[in-house]
Amino acid sequence: MFFDASVAERQLQRTWFKEPGLKIGDVRSGSSLPQCVKLERSELLALHLDGDVVIGGFFPLHYVASDPQYSYKTKPETTSCSGFDLRAFRWMMTMVFAVEEINRNSSLLPGVKLGYQIMDSCDHVHTSLKVLFSLVTVAQTLGPFNIPLVINCLITFNNVSYFATCTCLTDKQLYPSFLRTVPSDLFQVRGLVQLVTFFGWFWVGTIGTTDDYSLYGIQAFSDLFGQQGGCVEFHLTISKSSTVAEIQKIADKLQSSTARVVVVFATEGQLVDLFSELARRNVTGIQWIASEAWVTASRLASPNFHYLLEGTLGFSFPGVSIPGLKEFLLNVRPSPKPGMEFVNMFWEEQFGCVVEKPLCTGLEDLRYVYSSYSDVTKVRISYNVYKAVYAIAHALHTFLNCDSVGPSRGLCEKHSSFSNGQFLTVYMHISVLCVFKGSTECIKCPEYFWSDKEKVKCVAGVEEFLSFYDKMGIILVAITLLGFILTTIITIVFHRFRYTPIVKANNAEISFLLLLSLKLCFLCSLVFIGQPSWWTCRLRQAAFGISFVLCLSCLLVKTIVVLLAFRANVPGSRGQMLFGTSQQRILILCTTAPQICLCTGWVLGAPPFPFRNPNYQIVVECKEPWPPGFYLLLGYIGLLAFACLLLAFLGRKLPDRFNEAKFITFSMLIFWAVWISFIPAYVSSPGNFSVAVEIFAILASSYGLLLCIFVPKCYIILLHPEKNIKKGMTRKCCR
């Protein structure tokens, strides 16, 4: 059973090649130390110990690898690896320690010797596949009772991972034989969202890499963060082999961004170049939120990064102490003999010498050198490796020593021991995942990702929203500004002629308040355009609801004043006596207050938030966690509009040349026609077209009110001033 960082996200690689040598099963004489041997077919370097059951392991001993170039005419070149990871070497040696400890334990797997086949995966996919397929190929050469148990990468038998936290691996239909000794990222993501929201950070950026660990982690964080009302300003991606220009572009974005809280899902080796560039620029003031893969990384704790990463927050696995591990690690020694390459690489990295030349004596003492390799006071990932080895050992022990009852009864009766293939038949399930064109199966892309044109890989989907730069957005903005300018011009005209009879007769104070509310109605449509954000989602419906209620409240007051005035048969004066200025203001306040309370409670209790809707490509929209809020808002607007329509209809035949009730009736009919047609159009419109439909309804009803109520007045004021006299307000004058 091979175990590694993951199945789907950390398919790693290693590229040291040797001359043809020993096969698995050959044991070097005269040494109890593990040996690096060469597989006969693959010729890839491996740390090997022969055993009855061979456990395979992949570890990212190096974290920088060049991408192979494929010409399809010649054999691909060897991938070079660099950047030795002392912590990963500790993980590797922890596996060796656990296997040797189990082999010394007479009560666990008695009579069965565990072996291992450990390879450096170089934190890269391509050569990692070579390593995996070479191990699977060699497995066919093993005799009875010499069974490799395989984990990870694309062809998987039975999987135990110590570092794969990706939520994608919880799907047992896709990965039925995958197990892990590390919790899923689902728990980490919940903790990170609670962390940032606890401090009130609702405007953040994210950084990730191109592997599934990052893709699924960032996606899960963004979804849950959005549900809590947060918004992600940007997402930056670090490629496996980022160029200097790409790193500088990411650094530029971080410096220019308004989001000063950045959530990073990546491994430490993938972040060194970026953090080095930011440290060179002396960038400060960023609050970093770290995933467990790098939050405790000693390489990033160097003085060079102190000012940059000071105050970084994140969650890590609980640290434990493994008895005997430190002594085992400190007793490791280099040797120029074949088979000790991994140890020699570590020694050269630790002491800055070369083993093959007389620069390393081998007598250097690890006790006097502090590093992440020897720091085992509270190990985390190493403990996951330790648990993974013991999980395999206990599973084998149970398999070989189970009784003849329960669901395993038939198995126990047949196999008190096992031979090649029998254990695999019972416990291992083959699954093949395709990642290249021409495969018989294919991987489902993560959410918000789409396959490229060649159907070879998943690429990030393009986010869509009603932009200020789209043709539709430009048209709507132009119509909005035209309405605002027209309302402003009418306001100026009314103010210039505020002492004339036509303005005074139509309640100048309420008219100016109505014009102000119409300006707000026009302007609120602009909040619906552009990429939804934390504040626009909260503001748009509230601004729309309150603006229109204020507008309708003014119309309601104007209608009541007209009715009362003419019912008393004394135009103007008696209306003011029965329903004076104070009463008018109180009525406007009382009719507007319920909408203000509703919108405030809605925004505070269940605020809309930005949401990426994958049903229509990837449409960024404002999701309303409490849908009744929007319909209550519309319902109250409809109630006031009905009251205005009813009262205005009653006063439509009053004997006045300029009958305002008649024009209010026309405006309310337009208002009702627009909003009755809005509801089915809004529900049936896909994607960002629903936003355009709502903007159109707002603009159409606003124009209806403006044109029906104020344009006739301006017509008389500007073009027929002879009618703008007190007697001109009746039908009998100026015929």
Side-chain angles (χ1 to χ4, degrees):
M1 178 174 292
F2 295 103
F3 63 96
D4 172 33
S6 79
V7 173
E9 76 200 46
R10 294 172 183 168
Q11 301 144 348
L12 312 171
Q13 74 174 0
R14 175 71 182 121
T15 56
W16 282 277
F17 290 84
K18 305 292 287 183
E19 296 297 325
L22 299 176
K23 298 182 296 183
I24 292 181
D26 295 334
V27 183
R28 296 182 184 274
S29 60
S31 175
S32 61
L33 290 175
Q35 302 295 316
C36 290
V37 301
K38 296 148 286 185
L39 304 180
E40 188 176 47
R41 298 190 182 187
S42 68
E43 301 179 350
L44 292 172
L45 191 65
L47 187 64
H48 171 75
L49 179 66
D50 189 41
D52 299 319
V53 177
V54 177
I55 304 176
F58 292 168
F59 294 90
L61 199 58
H62 292 78
Y63 55 86
V64 178
S66 60
D67 288 326
Q69 301 297 321
Y70 298 113
S71 64
Y72 302 100
K73 296 180 181 179
T74 60
K75 185 177 179 180
E77 298 179 356
T78 301
T79 304
S80 60
C81 298
S82 60
F84 193 89
D85 192 338
L86 297 175
R87 192 168 65 144
F89 183 69
R90 188 211 320 143
W91 302 343
M92 179 183 291
M93 297 310 297
T94 301
M95 177 178 173
V96 174
F97 169 76
V99 170
E100 293 189 1
E101 188 176 64
I102 292 170
N103 286 337
R104 294 194 302 268
N105 189 344
S106 59
S107 62
L108 182 60
L109 285 176
V112 178
K113 180 184 178 183
L114 291 181
Y116 47 74
Q117 187 79 17
I118 306 176
M119 309 186 83
D120 176 13
S121 51
C122 207
D123 201 11
H124 203 264
V125 175
H126 300 89
T127 305
S128 177
L129 298 182
K130 294 181 182 180
V131 170
L132 175 70
F133 286 123
S134 69
L135 293 171
V136 175
T137 302
V138 171
Q140 301 174 1
T141 68
L142 302 178
F145 212 63
N146 199 259
I147 311 299
L149 309 181
V150 182
I151 180 173
N152 278 340
C153 294
L154 295 188
I155 296 184
T156 65
F157 295 98
N158 210 3
N159 315 327
V160 180
S161 178
Y162 60 88
F163 207 30
T165 58
C166 181
T167 56
C168 58
L169 299 173
T170 57
D171 189 342
K172 286 300 180 183
Q173 292 184 344
L174 289 177
Y175 311 107
S177 58
F178 176 78
L179 305 170
R180 51 184 162 192
T181 57
V182 61
S184 165
D185 272 333
L186 178 63
F187 304 99
Q188 178 184 198
V189 165
R190 289 175 181 171
L192 291 176
V193 171
Q194 291 179 10
L195 177 67
V196 295
T197 55
F198 174 80
F199 288 106
W201 299 328
F202 289 93
W203 182 251
V204 306
T206 58
I207 297 178
T209 56
T210 55
D211 57 23
D212 284 351
Y213 165 71
S214 176
L215 294 177
Y216 280 94
I218 291 294
Q219 185 59 61
F221 173 84
S222 300
D223 290 344
L224 189 56
F225 185 53
Q227 293 174 15
Q228 299 301 316
C231 188
V232 177
E233 179 192 356
F234 62 82
H235 173 65
L236 304 176
T237 301
I238 304 173
S239 62
K240 278 289 184 180
S241 302
S242 296
T243 63
V244 174
E246 291 172 341
I247 293 295
Q248 290 177 344
K249 185 176 180 180
I250 295 175
D252 292 340
K253 177 61 179 178
L254 289 172
Q255 284 187 291
S256 61
S257 170
T258 58
R260 307 314 295 164
V261 179
V262 180
V263 181
V264 183
F265 266 79
T267 58
E268 55 185 292
Q270 298 164 332
L271 297 173
V272 171
D273 290 342
L274 174 60
F275 286 163
S276 297
E277 175 64 19
L278 293 175
R280 185 186 66 80
R281 299 186 183 191
N282 196 28
V283 175
T284 57
I286 297 178
Q287 174 61 58
W288 300 96
I289 306 297
S291 66
E292 36 64 49
W294 69 277
V295 68
T296 60
S298 59
R299 188 185 311 130
L300 300 179
S302 67
N304 295 335
F305 301 133
H306 278 180
Y307 290 105
L308 174 66
L309 302 179
E310 187 176 26
T312 298
L313 299 176
F315 297 99
S316 66
F317 304 124
V320 299
S321 178
I322 303 176
L325 177 61
K326 183 167 186 175
E327 291 73 16
F328 175 83
L329 296 177
L330 295 179
N331 286 329
V332 171
R333 288 293 182 272
S335 173
K337 296 179 181 179
M340 298 297 292
E341 285 84 354
F342 285 163
V343 177
N344 293 344
M345 293 173 195
F346 157 70
W347 207 263
E348 293 174 357
E349 177 71 19
Q350 182 70 80
F351 294 103
C353 58
V354 180
V355 174
E356 295 181 356
K357 297 180 181 180
L359 298 178
C360 281
T361 63
L363 300 177
E364 294 85 358
D365 197 338
L366 290 170
R367 290 174 175 81
Y368 300 106
V369 179
Y370 175 81
S371 69
S372 57
Y373 169 78
S374 57
D375 183 11
V376 293
T377 52
K378 293 292 182 181
V379 294
R380 297 174 177 84
I381 308 303
S382 297
Y383 185 55
N384 293 337
V385 174
Y386 186 77
K387 289 187 294 183
V389 176
Y390 266 89
I392 295 170
H394 281 287
L396 288 171
H397 184 87
T398 302
F399 176 77
L400 295 174
N401 297 279
C402 61
D403 54 28
S404 296
V405 296
S408 301
R409 177 178 179 179
L411 177 66
C412 295
E413 290 175 349
K414 288 184 178 181
H415 305 296
S416 59
S417 63
F418 60 93
S419 61
N420 187 25
Q422 292 174 332
F423 187 81
L424 299 177
T425 301
V426 177
Y427 276 89
M428 302 179 187
H429 308 279
I430 301 280
S431 64
V432 178
L433 308 179
C434 79
V435 293
F436 53 88
K437 192 173 181 179
S439 297
T440 58
E441 302 179 32
C442 46
I443 302 173
K444 182 181 179 181
C445 289
E447 192 175 14
Y448 308 123
F449 281 76
W450 310 91
S451 58
D452 62 356
K453 293 181 180 179
E454 291 77 23
K455 308 297 182 182
V456 175
K457 60 183 179 180
C458 297
V459 294
V462 178
E463 295 182 346
E464 295 183 2
F465 52 88
L466 184 60
S467 171
F468 285 100
Y469 305 102
D470 295 339
K471 290 182 179 179
M472 184 181 297
I474 293 173
I475 293 173
L476 291 174
V477 169
I479 296 174
T480 298
L481 295 179
L482 178 61
F484 179 80
I485 294 172
L486 183 59
T487 307
T488 303
I489 293 174
I490 292 175
T491 303
I492 295 173
V493 171
F494 263 57
H495 185 268
R496 172 66 178 81
F497 296 93
R498 63 187 181 277
Y499 298 116
T500 60
I502 194 170
V503 176
K504 294 173 66 176
N506 287 278
N507 201 328
E509 180 179 334
I510 302 300
S511 295
F512 285 121
L513 184 58
L514 178 57
L515 286 168
L516 175 63
S517 64
L518 283 174
K519 289 180 184 179
L520 297 177
C521 290
F522 281 113
L523 291 178
C524 75
S525 62
L526 295 177
V527 187
F528 289 81
I529 307 175
Q531 183 172 2
S533 63
W534 178 85
W535 69 273
T536 56
C537 285
R538 284 166 165 77
L539 181 61
R540 55 171 59 175
Q541 300 294 6
F544 153 66
I546 296 173
S547 300
F548 265 82
V549 165
L550 179 60
C551 180
L552 293 173
S553 298
C554 293
L555 287 178
L556 182 63
V557 168
K558 289 173 73 69
T559 307
I560 293 175
V561 169
V562 171
L563 288 176
L564 291 177
F566 280 94
R567 286 289 182 264
N569 199 25
V570 181
S573 59
R574 289 294 300 272
Q576 294 296 326
M577 292 173 59
L578 296 174
F579 193 61
T581 303
S582 299
Q583 289 83 357
Q584 295 171 21
R585 293 171 181 171
I586 292 174
L587 181 59
I588 291 175
L589 179 62
C590 291
T591 53
T592 308
Q595 187 80 315
I596 295 176
C597 294
L598 173 62
C599 293
T600 303
W602 184 20
V603 169
L604 295 179
F609 57 88
F611 171 72
R612 288 187 288 179
N613 188 350
N615 295 328
Y616 307 102
Q617 297 298 319
I618 302 180
V619 177
V620 184
E621 60 187 18
C622 291
K623 186 173 183 180
E624 295 163 1
W626 191 51
F630 178 66
Y631 294 105
L632 286 174
L633 181 147
L634 283 183
Y636 189 71
I637 291 176
L639 180 63
L640 284 182
F642 178 75
C644 289
L645 177 61
L646 180 62
L647 294 177
F649 182 78
L650 295 176
R652 71 190 186 284
K653 294 183 179 181
L654 292 175
D656 184 23
R657 167 168 290 279
F658 189 77
N659 188 348
E660 192 168 28
K662 178 176 62 178
F663 293 107
I664 293 176
T665 302
F666 291 153
S667 66
M668 287 296 98
L669 290 175
I670 295 174
F671 185 91
W672 274 101
V674 169
W675 286 101
I676 289 176
S677 61
F678 159 77
I679 295 176
Y682 180 81
V683 173
S684 61
S685 296
N688 53 16
F689 288 101
S690 61
V691 178
V693 169
E694 185 169 358
I695 295 175
F696 173 80
I698 293 173
L699 294 177
S701 53
S702 299
Y703 271 105
L705 295 174
L706 183 67
L707 297 179
C708 288
I709 296 174
F710 290 101
V711 170
K713 296 183 178 71
C714 291
Y715 174 78
I716 292 177
I717 292 173
L718 298 177
L719 300 181
H720 292 281
E722 71 278 3
K723 297 180 181 180
N724 191 6
I725 58 177
K726 189 173 182 179
K727 292 183 179 181
M729 297 298 100
T730 64
R731 293 180 181 273
K732 296 181 180 180
C733 179
C734 303
R735 290 187 177 179

